[in-house]
Amino acid sequence: MNKETFERLTVDLGDRSYDILVGENLVANAGKLVQPFLKQKRTFIITDENVAKHHLATLENALSSEGIASKSLTLPYGEQTKSFSQLEKVIDFLLENKIDRKATIIAFGGGVIGDLAGFAAAVVMRGVDFIQIPTTLLSQVDSSVGGKTGINTSRGKNLVGSFHQPRIVLADIGLLQTLPHRELLAGYAEVVKYGLINDPAFFAWLEENGERVINGDLRAQTQAVVTSCKAKADIVALDERESGARGLLNLGHTFGHALEAEAKYNGSLLHGEAISIGMLMAHDISVELGFCASEDAQTVRSHFHKIGLPLETSFVSSNALGGKRLEVSRLMDHMSRDKKVNDGRLTFVMTKGIGQAYLDNAVDMTTVAEFLERAVTK
Ligand code: GLY
């Protein structure tokens, strides 16, 4: 077994603080790395069929070599797994196997598995510990950090859930080698988001090194994940429950979630792809409203184009709707159900330029509808 090498970051949340380890061979050494955080040597692994095929045996062996028992449940791959019915399946599995309050759940997968397993951990026996071992770029840089857990309902994404922080996050960069290129690209959208929010130097680094990140260069990937996790850890430490700054992490998400809802979560539009289009829309509307220079929006678009990220809503029409145009009224309807609605007003993440995102709850919805009308006909 190769020795692990990693960088350690901390999410500073008082007595619920935890570390994020970013590096190589972390799954193969998981037993040793997670052992200090277990109340008993008994774990429940929740994973999906793709991850299980490539990596489950490695994790199970790593745990058993340290005398840690594990039982695993493998679920279908895809966003549709983040549902009430699959949550029930997870809870039944845990209860049938007589989970007790000292056991630990290991979420071993991408954002879907992390959110679902984390939510199961938050509610089973009124809450047990859990560990995140994210296996996609997207989950390594975003969803595994910060304690947001939950499922989707027929009325929208992430509308049922809980804040439940993990005990430790192991982001094993080696796992990205088996990730399909489309998934790696989708995860890159969440990486570049941190540059666009408040770190223009990171955006400039990505302009230089982004292609290395998506072409599998381990050093570039490690640096991208470390920088992203550090940015996220800082924001979560400031505002765990999203009463302010954490809202910035939703750059591109209000538009993106509406696009995802139209695409019906069936794999035709990945979350990161929706966020890519949504972030460009956030820049475009900021330009139209006079907050952001059009050169900045153009620079962002050129970078996304060079990397191969989707740019326009026409990607959704052709990939998910059989060429049918998106309907603005339906998008507006999805947006009105967003969790970011407060007293009937939607908070948008707008931008004054690259690395200058800010929260704005004074955007007029008629203006948004007119903007969307132009966006869907591009
Ligand atoms: N993905 C946004 C957040 O964790 O707040």
Side-chain angles (χ1 to χ4, degrees):
M1 181 199 316
N2 292 327
K3 194 174 155 28
E4 76 282 8
T5 50
F6 59 83
E7 294 203 36
R8 183 187 296 272
L9 309 165
T10 300
V11 185
D12 192 357
L13 289 169
D15 59 4
R16 287 172 301 110
S17 295
Y18 55 94
D19 288 345
I20 308 164
L21 311 188
V22 183
E24 291 172 56
N25 300 315
L26 302 186
V27 172
N29 291 280
K32 192 173 69 182
L33 296 169
V34 305
Q35 181 156 346
F37 303 96
L38 304 181
K39 292 183 182 136
Q40 67 180 200
K41 285 189 156 192
R42 196 156 165 252
T43 59
F44 294 90
I45 303 169
I46 312 298
T47 190
D48 72 37
E49 57 211 5
N50 290 355
V51 175
K53 192 165 61 193
H54 293 292
H55 308 295
L56 183 57
T58 311
L59 177 59
E60 287 173 338
N61 290 339
L63 294 169
S64 70
S65 69
E66 296 293 322
I68 301 165
S70 66
K71 287 238 181 281
S72 65
L73 175 67
T74 300
L75 298 172
Y77 168 81
E79 188 73 31
Q80 281 168 344
T81 290
K82 243 173 86 171
S83 63
F84 275 115
S85 63
Q86 295 293 334
L87 176 69
E88 189 174 13
K89 197 164 155 189
V90 175
I91 303 273
D92 281 346
F93 159 77
L94 297 170
L95 297 177
E96 271 159 22
N97 286 289
K98 302 199 170 25
I99 188 169
D100 65 48
R101 282 187 162 160
K102 290 193 170 160
T104 297
I105 293 175
I106 300 180
F108 188 40
V112 166
I113 291 295
D115 285 7
L116 174 70
F119 188 42
V123 295
V124 73
M125 318 293 281
R126 296 209 178 90
V128 301
D129 285 349
F130 88 113
I131 286 169
Q132 287 273 19
I133 307 187
T135 57
T136 61
L137 181 59
L138 187 136
S139 57
Q140 292 188 350
V141 299
D142 184 25
S143 54
S144 67
V145 175
K148 280 189 182 175
T149 71
I151 55 172
N152 304 327
T153 80
S154 58
R155 306 210 177 260
K157 234 176 118 87
N158 300 330
L159 293 180
V160 174
S162 160
F163 285 96
H164 189 52
Q165 301 292 345
R167 299 282 287 128
I168 186 168
V169 180
L170 306 183
D172 188 331
I173 299 297
L175 302 183
L176 303 181
Q177 300 295 319
T178 51
L179 198 63
H181 188 71
R182 184 177 170 207
E183 287 240 21
L184 201 59
L185 261 183
Y188 185 87
E190 297 278 8
V191 171
V192 76
K193 182 184 81 175
Y194 295 104
L196 296 176
I197 289 173
N198 62 4
D199 192 348
F202 183 45
F203 181 78
W205 184 86
L206 288 169
E207 282 187 297
E208 285 290 310
N209 297 286
E211 283 169 307
R212 288 172 54 213
V213 174
I214 54 154
N215 288 327
D217 179 313
L218 286 172
R219 281 184 58 172
Q221 288 181 337
T222 304
Q223 189 161 341
V225 174
V226 167
T227 308
S228 302
C229 286
K230 170 100 182 60
K232 178 136 190 195
D234 288 349
I235 289 184
V236 169
L238 265 182
D239 178 25
E240 182 185 6
R241 296 273 168 151
E242 198 169 314
S243 50
R246 187 164 181 168
L248 292 169
L249 296 174
N250 296 320
L251 176 62
H253 282 58
T254 304
F255 292 127
H257 280 171
L259 298 175
E260 278 188 279
E262 279 303 273
K264 307 250 182 313
Y265 314 113
N266 60 11
S268 57
L269 178 71
L270 301 179
H271 176 64
E273 292 169 341
I275 295 324
S276 169
I277 300 164
M279 286 192 292
L280 292 176
M281 292 168 82
H283 281 73
D284 288 346
I285 194 170
S286 299
V287 171
E288 286 195 12
L289 293 173
F291 302 130
C292 174
S294 61
E295 294 75 30
D296 279 19
Q298 194 45 50
T299 302
V300 177
R301 187 174 296 272
S302 303
H303 179 58
F304 283 23
H305 177 67
K306 184 169 124 190
I307 289 292
L309 284 167
L311 308 177
E312 312 293 352
T313 60
S314 56
F315 178 89
V316 186
S317 306
S318 49
N319 265 35
L321 304 178
K324 205 169 122 269
R325 217 181 84 174
L326 284 155
E327 279 177 42
V328 171
S329 59
R330 292 179 59 92
L331 295 174
M332 294 293 285
D333 197 37
H334 293 305
M335 284 163 50
S336 71
R337 280 199 277 262
D338 196 284
K339 290 194 298 315
K340 295 174 281 300
V341 174
N342 257 323
D343 292 336
R345 293 207 76 93
L346 194 52
T347 302
F348 278 91
V349 189
M350 304 294 262
T351 185
K352 295 184 177 151
I354 293 169
Q356 297 179 64
Y358 68 99
L359 298 170
D360 193 335
N361 64 5
V363 184
D364 172 55
M365 292 312 275
T366 311
T367 309
V368 174
E370 287 166 6
F371 166 77
L372 283 175
E373 200 60 64
R374 286 188 289 282
V376 300
T377 43
K378 255 193 203 170

